[in-house]
Amino acid sequence: MKLKAFIVSVCLAVGLPLSAQSAKDFRNTNLSDEQRVEALLHQLTLDEKLSLLSTNLGVPRLGIPDCNHFEGLHGLTLGGPGAWGGWAKGEDGRRVKTDLPTTIFPQSYGLGSTWDVDLLRKVGEQASVEARYYMQRPENPRHSLVMRAPNADLARDPRWGRTEESYGEDPFLTARLTVANIQGLQGDDPRYWRTAALMKHFLANSNEDGRDSTSSDFDNRLFHEYYAYPFYKGITEGGSRAFMASYNAWNGTTMSVHPCLEAITRKQWGNNGIICTDGGALKLLVNAHHAYPTMAEGAAAVVKATTGQFLDVYMPYIKEALEKGLVTEADIDKAIRGNLYVALKLGLLDGEDSKNPYRNIGRDDTEMPPYEREEVHRLVREVTAKSVVLLKNNASLLPLDASKLKKIAVIGPYADQIVQDWYSGTPSYEVTILDGIRQAVADGTAVLYAPDNACGRAEQIAAEADVALVCVGNHPYGVRPDWKFCPVPSDGREAVDRKSLMLPDEDLVKLVRRANPNTVLVLVSSFPYAINWSQEHVPAIVHITHCSQEQGNGLADVLFGRVNPAGRTVQTWVKDITDLPPMMDYDIRHGRTYMYYKGDVLYPFGYGLSYTTFDYEQIKSVKQDKRKVSVTVQLKNSGTRDGEEVVQLYASYPDSKVERPARQLRAFARVFLAAGETKEVVLDIPKEDLGYWNEEENAFVLEPGMVKLGVGASSADIRLEGEVRF
């Protein structure tokens, strides 16, 4: 191999033509993808192969441009608290953050609350267009097209510090949204990707405390049916060819070296692209998990597991591993082959004659930056409004009638600030809740504001107002960006799990409610809370997540009735922290999620109210063919307002011979109906999704017998029942 690389280098230097394995073969788009990757692999020197074990796909000698990773969970990240835009030297010589503007949507938890696959696709598309824009600007400020998104992890426990990064607790909902976001990120061209979607974090990474050394323990059925299911669908249906291995172990084996990476995700699912470690995982593999005695042995094990990118210092250790015979050049070839495939799909191997339809984004100096376009601002506003969940609305306090309000009190720490989380970028503008309320009301309406109740100010303005809005919740990174700093027990963030489910400012809510019975709790949060007092005493409650640059306008659209809310909860909101199993119990059959929890809850999974009413009139038909079951539901908007309903179909398995969930989401659709309108909603269920994972057959197996089908407005609000038999 070294001799062949030397010959290629000499030929390139003196301009001599090469034969079948010529220096230009990998640029020949008439060859198959596999042939092009193989041709490039043969032309790489050993040093270039070692360099490709980093996150950079570039090979300067061969004209392959540098290309690294972006963060992009809810918009392209080139700034924010985590300084993802990088650092520069300021005038005083100190390091300063390099913030480049990008479009910032609600947190992933809020995106999940939309239950809208089309919107998730559009969110991914916008992030990817901006990534291409920055990659291909003439000045080339950033060289990245691999997007670390979406997060396909499941929020099995609301105490998880990174709940905000997930789409919720349910594998089916998370899978559908994951697939949609991937499709938006990668585009619909049959040959090229706009960006490469790199899912996080494989697998079962839902505890932050001790994540560098703990093991998530559960059986193979839960692997396939629950924890791995969104990743499986992200690869096999979404087309993602990249993911990040998590810090934790599964059943005692650390994920960055787990045999399932090759045996299952590559050989069974078809991920022929990138597998990378998480940041610093090599060091943690040795020093925290104590899986290997030396860094060289750890590096060799990572490569042999076909993990082909290190987010860590690795070069001296992989060289040592080579010298000691712990790893071979063939092992490295196998690990980096997927990196080359991703580079090919991004068009990086084509050169200037590429037919890549995305190659000109950002190259025109007269082009308006994508984050400045009005249609993009409208999209963010729409997504934000659709993410709002109406949790309570006694006496129809909402929507507010702006024409009848003389004074509105807007109160709380999140009324006049939008807090970007650790994986946010820096938007080009922000509209706070206070801004949005001011813009929504008539000129004669006074909007009073107090950030807190210092000197009784919040109570005072609440008493003066016709309605009081109290905007409270969590801080996504504990006020200071210091790592592991999270002083409020009910807050959480990366590396810190929550220690409480209590709302810290619920006392402020109590005081405002005493001053004004027309109080609306605006819960601005990344997590569920045990807000039992508020649920009992406050007439109206809405939930919205952090980060959206249109947070104020999107929320105001819902509060004043321009948008009828249809957001739905993506987790079970328990009443008390004691309702949860121990944090490290990963067997969800022990009472986790709506599928297995048997007690009373504050808000069930899939729950959300509307300003209108929907009648589930009948299941018109249940049909099946070899591939799927189709359920047709007749739905009527029986109220006086136009609106959307999220129709949800759950399956249960009374004839099953194995333990199955009590209820399991198998289809959903967010549907618009004008007031008085009736529609037929068709819900398709692939038969595989009604099966269980059979270890002996190594596949999802459909059992003979009856499957009950429940259709309704939440996991706890089933309006119609049907069945199908196999």
Side-chain angles (χ1 to χ4, degrees):
M1 180 65 73
K2 292 181 180 179
L3 177 60
K4 185 179 293 184
F6 173 75
I7 294 171
V8 169
S9 300
V10 170
C11 291
L12 284 169
V14 300
L16 294 176
L18 297 174
S19 59
Q21 292 294 341
S22 76
K24 293 186 178 180
D25 274 353
F26 72 86
R27 298 195 188 281
N28 183 355
T29 57
N30 293 320
L31 298 177
S32 70
D33 292 346
E34 292 74 16
Q35 288 173 319
R36 295 179 69 191
V37 167
E38 191 65 27
L40 175 54
L41 195 59
H42 277 78
Q43 293 168 42
L44 295 172
T45 67
L46 179 58
D47 284 344
E48 286 168 340
K49 293 176 181 179
L50 295 180
S51 178
L52 283 166
L53 288 169
S54 71
T55 59
N56 188 359
L57 300 175
V59 185
R61 179 180 66 86
L62 298 177
I64 301 171
D66 291 343
C67 183
N68 277 282
H69 293 195
F70 280 128
E71 296 288 349
L73 293 180
H74 51 95
L76 177 64
T77 298
L78 279 174
W84 298 105
W87 299 88
K89 185 176 289 187
E91 293 181 1
D92 59 359
R94 297 183 179 181
R95 290 201 316 160
V96 295
K97 290 195 298 181
T98 303
D99 286 353
L100 300 172
T102 58
T103 302
I104 302 302
F105 293 90
Q107 291 174 299
S108 296
Y109 198 75
L111 296 177
S113 299
T114 69
W115 287 59
D116 193 320
V117 293
D118 291 334
L119 276 189
L120 267 290
R121 189 177 293 109
K122 291 177 182 178
V123 169
E125 180 179 350
Q126 182 61 29
S128 67
V129 167
E130 294 182 15
R132 277 282 174 181
Y133 174 83
Y134 277 113
M135 172 75 174
Q136 296 171 173
R137 289 295 296 157
E139 61 271 22
N140 278 331
R142 280 297 299 266
H143 297 266
S144 301
L145 287 175
V146 178
M147 193 78 76
R148 293 177 190 165
N151 191 329
D153 287 320
L154 292 166
R156 67 184 173 96
D157 192 304
R159 291 170 293 187
W160 179 34
R162 298 178 79 170
T163 295
E164 65 194 29
E165 298 180 28
S166 77
Y167 297 140
E169 73 183 22
D170 182 70
F172 181 82
L173 174 65
T174 297
R176 298 322 314 152
L177 299 180
T178 292
V179 166
N181 193 243
I182 289 167
Q183 291 171 341
L185 287 167
Q186 299 195 164
D188 56 8
D189 187 83
R191 170 171 277 187
Y192 294 99
W193 296 336
R194 201 165 31 233
T195 58
L198 186 146
M199 296 180 288
K200 303 196 301 186
H201 309 83
F202 189 84
L203 180 78
N205 179 180
S206 55
N207 65 280
E208 294 303 296
D209 298 341
R211 65 180 181 167
D212 59 359
S213 56
T214 56
S215 179
S216 305
D217 298 338
F218 49 88
D219 59 31
N220 281 335
R221 273 196 63 197
L222 285 181
F223 174 93
H224 289 280
E225 295 178 9
Y226 189 72
Y227 292 105
Y229 184 83
F231 293 92
Y232 163 64
K233 290 295 185 179
I235 293 170
T236 59
E237 291 188 24
S240 170
R241 291 296 182 267
F243 65 79
M244 177 184 292
S246 56
Y247 289 119
N248 57 283
W250 171 40
N251 293 346
T253 302
T254 311
M255 287 311 304
S256 60
V257 297
H258 204 289
C260 74
L261 299 181
E262 181 179 13
I264 296 177
T265 74
R266 291 202 187 277
K267 292 183 177 179
Q268 294 181 23
W269 299 350
N271 178 26
N272 60 336
I274 292 171
I275 299 178
C276 71
T277 72
D278 206 336
L282 172 58
K283 185 183 298 181
L284 296 174
L285 180 66
V286 176
N287 297 332
H289 282 284
H290 304 293
Y292 300 94
T294 67
M295 298 291 282
E297 289 169 282
V302 169
V303 168
K304 286 184 174 182
T306 72
T307 304
Q309 288 190 339
F310 289 89
L311 273 67
D312 206 344
V313 175
Y314 73 92
M315 189 65 79
Y317 310 118
I318 198 66
K319 285 185 174 180
E320 180 184 346
L322 273 168
E323 291 169 0
K324 292 182 175 179
L326 302 174
V327 69
T328 66
E329 188 170 354
D331 294 328
I332 294 169
D333 288 353
K334 188 175 181 180
I336 66 170
R337 188 181 300 271
N339 306 355
L340 305 183
Y341 176 77
V342 170
L344 181 149
K345 296 296 289 183
L346 292 170
L348 303 178
L349 308 189
D350 289 4
E352 290 303 313
D353 296 329
S354 176
K355 300 296 190 296
N356 180 0
Y358 310 120
R359 67 186 299 271
N360 291 319
I361 297 173
R363 293 186 185 274
D364 185 350
D365 285 338
T366 65
E367 179 182 350
M368 176 182 285
Y371 50 82
E372 291 184 0
R373 296 172 185 162
E374 281 301 317
E375 64 269 24
V376 173
H377 302 168
R378 289 194 295 270
L379 173 64
V380 183
R381 184 169 180 164
E382 177 189 4
V383 173
T384 306
K386 286 193 171 187
S387 75
V388 175
V389 183
L390 180 60
L391 295 172
K392 184 180 179 184
N393 192 25
N394 274 15
S396 298
L397 177 57
L398 297 176
L400 303 173
D401 187 341
S403 66
K404 295 180 180 179
L405 299 174
K406 295 181 179 179
K407 289 184 180 180
I408 299 176
V410 183
I411 296 163
Y414 301 111
D416 197 29
Q417 66 167 329
I418 294 175
V419 183
Q420 299 300 335
D421 65 26
W422 196 247
Y423 287 97
S424 281
T426 301
S428 59
Y429 71 93
E430 292 179 329
V431 181
T432 68
I433 293 173
L434 182 60
D435 294 333
I437 299 301
R438 284 172 172 162
Q439 293 173 23
V441 299
D443 291 341
T445 302
V447 179
L448 313 176
Y449 166 62
D452 52 40
N453 199 34
C455 301
R457 175 64 178 163
E459 292 174 274
Q460 177 190 341
I461 67 171
E464 294 178 22
D466 300 307
V467 65
L469 310 176
V470 191
C471 308
V472 294
N474 72 296
H475 196 291
Y477 59 93
V479 183
R480 294 201 321 248
D482 310 36
W483 200 242
K484 291 195 175 183
F485 180 80
C486 208
V488 179
S490 58
D491 283 356
R493 59 164 297 174
E494 182 171 358
V496 183
D497 286 320
R498 304 169 74 198
K499 307 304 185 293
S500 169
L501 301 183
M502 304 300 293
L503 179 62
D505 287 314
E506 198 161 33
D507 279 350
L508 174 61
V509 180
K510 293 177 181 179
L511 294 171
V512 172
R513 169 65 180 80
R514 184 179 67 179
N516 189 330
N518 293 326
T519 292
V520 179
L521 168 57
V522 178
L523 189 58
V524 187
S525 77
S526 313
F527 315 101
Y529 283 91
I531 49 171
N532 298 291
W533 186 92
S534 292
Q535 172 60 24
E536 183 177 353
H537 296 95
V538 178
I541 304 172
V542 297
H543 177 261
I544 190 171
T545 60
H546 292 285
C547 299
S548 170
Q549 64 191 49
E550 285 280 352
Q551 184 182 79
N553 284 333
L555 178 65
D557 285 344
V558 170
L559 294 178
F560 290 95
R562 284 189 291 271
V563 172
N564 194 339
R568 297 293 185 264
T569 56
V570 295
Q571 267 186 305
T572 302
W573 290 45
V574 297
K575 290 186 173 182
D576 193 273
I577 197 169
T578 59
D579 294 335
L580 298 170
M583 186 66 178
M584 290 307 298
D585 184 354
Y586 271 79
D587 188 338
I588 63 168
R589 303 181 191 97
H590 296 159
R592 286 197 193 280
T593 79
Y594 76 94
M595 292 185 285
Y596 292 101
Y597 184 70
K598 296 179 180 179
D600 293 331
V601 301
L602 188 62
Y603 307 116
F605 173 80
Y607 170 81
L609 303 176
S610 172
Y611 298 150
T612 190
T613 55
F614 294 94
D615 292 344
Y616 287 71
E617 294 188 329
Q618 62 174 317
I619 294 179
K620 293 200 69 174
S621 66
V622 178
K623 299 178 180 178
Q624 62 172 305
D625 56 28
K626 291 182 179 180
R627 189 179 61 86
K628 68 180 185 300
V629 175
S630 295
V631 181
T632 302
V633 178
Q634 187 166 298
L635 181 72
K636 181 179 181 180
N637 182 343
S638 55
T640 58
R641 289 178 176 270
D642 298 348
E644 292 180 310
E645 173 74 341
V646 179
V647 181
Q648 303 165 42
L649 187 153
Y650 294 84
S652 57
Y653 312 93
D655 293 342
S656 178
K657 304 302 182 185
V658 298
E659 184 177 9
R660 304 290 295 272
R663 184 165 288 158
Q664 193 173 25
L665 181 70
R666 297 289 84 181
F668 65 91
R670 183 163 177 153
V671 183
F672 174 83
L673 287 87
E677 182 181 9
T678 299
K679 277 186 179 178
E680 290 185 2
V681 181
V682 179
L683 303 169
D684 289 333
I685 315 167
K687 285 188 172 180
E688 179 187 73
D689 287 344
L690 293 172
Y692 76 99
W693 183 259
N694 184 295
E695 277 295 293
E696 293 181 358
E697 297 191 30
N698 197 37
F700 285 98
V701 172
L702 195 63
E703 293 182 279
M706 180 181 68
V707 174
K708 286 188 175 181
L709 306 173
V711 180
S714 82
S715 61
D717 185 9
I718 301 301
R719 310 283 184 87
L720 300 170
E721 293 187 344
E723 64 180 55
V724 63
R725 291 184 176 273
F726 303 113

